[in-house]
Amino acid sequence: MSEGDDQPLFGTDIPKEVFDKAVEILRRHLGFSQEEEVPASSSGSKLTINKPTASKSTLPVDVKCVDRFKAIAADRNRKWSAYSRAQNVSFRVEDKQWQDLFKTPRVPQWAGDYLRSIGATSSNWKLKSSPSRRSLRSFQQIDTASRVGMKYSSSLLLIAEVLSRSLRQPSSHISRKEASMLISLLGPLSRRVFDQFARVSAKTVSDRRQIIVESVRLSQEGIKRRFWELPILGEDIFAGQFESML
């Protein structure tokens, strides 16, 4: 934890002038054009954090984000996975940190035994209610994906702290070679974190879509399958095709 952070949720404030300058630096060095200023009086949804603002400092978006999101969504159409095993295997943490923070909690045996005793589960502990069983599995998968992202983020926080000390404290004895090596990890780690968010979003959209489609009680499996294969991107959960597919 950085100096001055005496509570867990501190350390997230970003002064507006720092944010504005950072945006200007990103746009200038990465070749993004500056967006037009949006009048503060413009109407915006109260349900979005991206509502119109008088500030011109809107963050550019990495052009590869859309491609990465589409790739994750394509994986969803085959078999959704909470994380890449090849990427995750090298990110080991100590057992206590793993169990306390990054391991997805399980249902204890006594709870499973109780559910079975009251007839809520079958002999193999599976919930008898199909929707409940599916929801339980889905939430567990989403939780797992989120915790893997938290683990990657933890590494980013540590790297940021070391690099910050190297700039603030000349006596930190962090060599240029060491700093360069840490900087080289920022891109891959950031992309891994983004991928985990994309996995969670793709899974959530897919599950929400499934709940709605099953409520309609479509009889043709072909129509259901086409719903599952609709694009994930966009503000419409059915990509604007719900009515035309019924």
Side-chain angles (χ1 to χ4, degrees):
M1 185 178 295
S2 302
E3 295 178 4
D5 289 352
D6 55 359
Q7 293 187 27
L9 296 183
F10 280 21
T12 58
D13 292 339
I14 301 177
K16 183 180 182 304
E17 60 273 14
V18 175
F19 177 82
D20 290 349
K21 182 60 179 177
V23 169
E24 187 273 327
I25 293 172
L26 290 173
R27 289 189 175 278
R28 174 159 45 86
H29 286 279
L30 297 178
F32 288 96
S33 60
Q34 178 64 57
E35 292 186 356
E36 295 294 328
E37 182 173 350
V38 180
S41 59
S42 297
S43 60
S45 171
K46 295 181 179 179
L47 301 180
T48 175
I49 60 172
N50 209 35
K51 56 187 177 182
T53 172
S55 173
K56 293 172 61 177
S57 298
T58 54
L59 275 171
V61 176
D62 191 319
V63 293
K64 294 295 180 65
C65 286
V66 172
D67 294 336
R68 299 189 75 85
F69 200 109
K70 287 181 177 179
I72 295 295
D75 285 341
R76 168 193 61 88
N77 289 332
R78 294 192 292 270
K79 184 178 180 181
W80 186 89
S81 58
Y83 55 88
S84 167
R85 294 185 181 277
Q87 293 178 356
N88 189 53
V89 68
S90 61
F91 270 74
R92 298 181 61 84
V93 297
E94 294 182 2
D95 289 345
K96 179 170 175 50
Q97 280 70 39
W98 163 253
Q99 294 173 1
D100 290 347
L101 187 58
F102 302 124
K103 183 179 181 180
T104 306
R106 61 179 178 82
V107 178
Q109 182 172 345
W110 67 265
D113 290 341
Y114 177 75
L115 289 171
R116 186 169 56 184
S117 71
I118 62 174
T121 63
S122 58
S123 58
N124 58 359
W125 277 25
K126 288 186 177 180
L127 292 172
K128 291 183 178 180
S129 168
S130 180
S132 296
R133 186 169 62 247
R134 188 164 52 245
S135 295
L136 192 65
R137 174 61 176 167
S138 176
F139 289 140
Q140 180 180 352
Q141 292 174 324
I142 291 172
D143 188 11
T144 298
S146 298
R147 289 171 188 266
V148 171
M150 288 165 56
K151 186 167 61 171
Y152 294 156
S153 296
S154 173
S155 299
L156 281 175
L157 291 171
L158 293 176
I159 292 174
E161 178 64 22
V162 171
L163 294 177
S164 178
R165 289 184 183 183
S166 71
L167 295 174
R168 298 194 321 263
Q169 305 171 7
S171 60
S172 60
H173 303 298
I174 300 171
S175 69
R176 180 182 293 270
K177 182 178 180 180
E178 290 174 328
S180 178
M181 185 192 69
L182 291 177
I183 290 173
S184 71
L185 296 177
L186 294 178
L189 276 173
S190 297
R191 285 187 281 274
R192 289 190 184 190
V193 172
F194 178 88
D195 287 353
Q196 291 306 118
F197 278 117
R199 291 176 191 275
V200 169
S201 292
K203 175 67 173 173
T204 305
V205 170
S206 179
D207 287 355
R208 291 172 60 206
R209 183 182 290 170
Q210 182 175 1
I211 291 172
I212 296 173
V213 170
E214 290 185 349
S215 298
V216 178
R217 298 181 180 178
L218 297 173
S219 58
Q220 299 181 34
E221 288 299 323
I223 297 179
K224 289 183 179 180
R225 186 165 55 253
R226 289 201 297 273
F227 271 115
W228 308 150
E229 295 172 352
L230 288 174
I232 290 292
L233 288 175
E235 63 178 358
D236 187 328
I237 196 172
F238 292 106
Q241 301 183 47
F242 182 82
E243 187 174 4
S244 64
M245 294 182 67
L246 293 178

